[in-house]
Amino acid sequence: MSLINQPTISTNGIVRPTLVEVELGRLKENFTAICQHVAPAKVMPILKANAYGHGLVPVAQWMESLGADYIGVAVLEEGILLREQGIQTPILVLGGILGNQVPGFLKHNLTITASSAEKLCQIEEAAEQLGVRARVHLKIDTGMERVGVHYYSAESFLETALKCRHIDLEGIYSHFANADELDLTHARLQLERFLEVLSFYEKRSLPPPPLRHMANSPAILQLPEATFDLVRPGLLFYGVYPSREMPRTVAVQPALSWKSRVVYFKVIQPGHPVGYGSAWQTDHMVRAVTVPVGYGDGYFRNMSGKAQVLLRGKRYPVVGRISMDQVVVNIEWDSAYNDDEVVLIGEMGGEAITCQDLADWAGTIPYEILTNINTRVPRIYI
Ligand SMILES: Cc1ncc(COP(=O)(O)O)c(C=O)c1O
């Protein structure tokens, strides 16, 4: 399968040399590895923010073809786009909602996160008016203070949910604030609080909603007791570990490579500074190449002076400030030619530059690197 994600910029079918390659086979392997690790629990891959930069629609199509039980996105518009593109798999929208968005959820058969009794009532009313049933997951805040009903006042929320006649209560969930730390004290406290909330059903001899869930990627890796009926991997599904320290209890491999090509070759004389701010210069003559990628593509400017790329199987430093659309790479006295492939994230000749490397250079996390690769960078699926 080879297709190009929209929107993209192409001239007569020739795509920009700076592009992202997504290996769908790796997404499949990662998904399978996570499914095996958490079985019999189900797996809901998280496809928000353009599927963590991998391309929302093609990744959703791929997951649907692989028979995923559920897909998670963050906002209503992501869900609607998927429905408009023909995706039929159940889709949970994870984010907080406004009352006026509820009809949009119902018309597109999207599962709603209800994060207060008031929102439950708005959903119930809208479903009754439209003559449909609403699919709902209840959101419990166990220690994140973002959206959700606090664990200590969840009882009346759960009572209200039981009374709704136009709602199918499919799930109940919570989210970890710091399951990615090695000290899991707070995560375990959150888990205890969630279990306490769930005991509501046992105390009343009622079945709980069929999908109880809490685990994101770090919890899948290091808190197996938080697996419940379903897990919600984002980063791990794309083959990236949340940090260098995280135990690698599930083997995954990155599905995304970010590549470009040499568009210019030159020799730089000593004392001739490179780029904006003249921030770098050489004290000896070097060869350098220009690569058409920059912070306008999501190649962060604050990686200037730190970033490296792979070219002809070797690592070379990006020198001078990263511009909006271009960077300069110092190859000292090695050879390179126009059109040579340059790897920004990925493997070449036994060397690899990872998303975590870029995150370290930029002083951020891999999540931010992936989700910031701009849509002007075409995505190619292999
Ligand atoms: C509610 C929720 N669940 C799951 C995820 C996936 O997280 P991760 O990428 O760490 O697996 C996110 C992402 O932030 C989220 O907000």
Side-chain angles (χ1 to χ4, degrees), residues 62 127 353:
W62 182 233
I353 289 181

Side-chain angles (χ1 to χ4, degrees), residues 102-346:
V102 174
F105 279 90
L106 299 178
K107 282 178 194 153
H108 293 92
N109 191 22
L110 297 166
T111 308
I112 313 175
T113 292
S115 50
S116 69
E118 186 201 352
K119 301 219 160 135
L120 264 181
C121 296
Q122 289 168 338
I123 298 166
E124 172 74 357
E125 236 178 80
E128 187 172 6
Q129 270 172 20
L130 289 172
V132 295
R133 301 198 59 75
R135 302 166 78 139
V136 166
H137 288 217
L138 304 177
K139 181 75 186 283
I140 308 298
D141 189 332
T142 54
M144 179 75 159
E145 299 294 344
R146 220 166 49 171
V147 291
V149 173
H150 285 125
Y151 65 96
Y152 47 81
S153 38
E155 216 172 280
S156 70
F157 179 50
L158 270 49
E159 302 267 13
T160 309
L162 289 176
K163 288 183 204 134
C164 295
R165 294 283 151 254
H166 300 88
I167 285 180
D168 286 332
L169 206 56
E170 252 186 20
I172 179 165
Y173 75 103
S174 191
H175 190 52
F176 285 111
N178 39 15
D180 56 344
E181 285 174 13
L182 295 182
D183 177 357
L184 291 170
T185 312
H186 185 68
R188 287 192 203 288
L189 183 63
Q190 284 194 263
L191 181 56
E192 258 173 52
R193 290 168 174 171
F194 190 51
L195 285 166
E196 179 56 33
V197 170
L198 292 176
S199 71
F200 166 94
Y201 295 101
E202 212 183 323
K203 284 182 210 147
R204 284 167 176 68
S205 304
L206 290 170
L211 297 174
R212 296 161 294 179
H213 50 108
M214 195 166 185
N216 53 358
S217 297
I220 293 167
L221 290 168
Q222 55 174 1
L223 258 177
E225 54 280 45
T227 301
F228 294 103
D229 307 303
L230 177 139
V231 296
R232 307 188 305 264
L235 200 67
L236 194 66
F237 164 61
Y238 301 101
V240 178
Y241 293 93
S243 70
R244 289 195 193 279
E245 295 75 38
M246 195 93 322
R248 307 204 161 191
T249 50
V250 185
V252 292
Q253 284 194 291
L256 178 147
S257 304
W258 191 3
K259 297 177 175 174
S260 188
R261 290 191 179 273
V262 170
V263 292
Y264 200 77
F265 172 91
K266 88 202 89 181
V267 171
I268 303 178
Q269 302 291 336
H272 286 66
V274 169
Y276 287 116
S278 302
W280 182 89
Q281 57 181 297
T282 130
D283 59 6
H284 57 286
M285 204 154 67
V286 297
R287 291 172 173 173
V289 295
T290 303
V291 182
V293 66
Y295 61 81
D297 298 303
Y299 199 71
F300 289 137
R301 184 173 178 275
N302 63 353
M303 299 192 299
S304 300
K306 297 179 196 152
Q308 298 174 345
V309 299
L310 301 176
L311 173 60
R312 300 190 148 235
K314 273 180 74 176
R315 247 168 213 275
Y316 294 102
V318 171
V319 291
R321 290 206 185 129
I322 292 169
S323 305
M324 190 184 292
D325 319 295
Q326 304 181 68
V327 296
V328 175
V329 175
N330 174 14
I331 60 168
E332 283 297 325
W333 210 246
D334 288 346
S335 299
Y337 296 89
N338 277 315
D339 211 32
D340 275 353
E341 187 170 84
V342 176
V343 171
L344 311 167
I345 294 178

Side-chain angles (χ1 to χ4, degrees), residues 79-111:
I80 292 178
L81 176 67
L82 291 182
R83 287 285 182 254
E84 284 173 351
Q85 297 294 315
I87 297 295
Q88 288 172 7
T89 303
I91 299 172
L92 173 63
V93 178
L94 298 161
I97 58 159
L98 292 173
N100 64 5
Q101 292 180 310
V102 174
F105 279 90
L106 299 178
K107 282 178 194 153
H108 293 92
N109 191 22
L110 297 166
T111 308

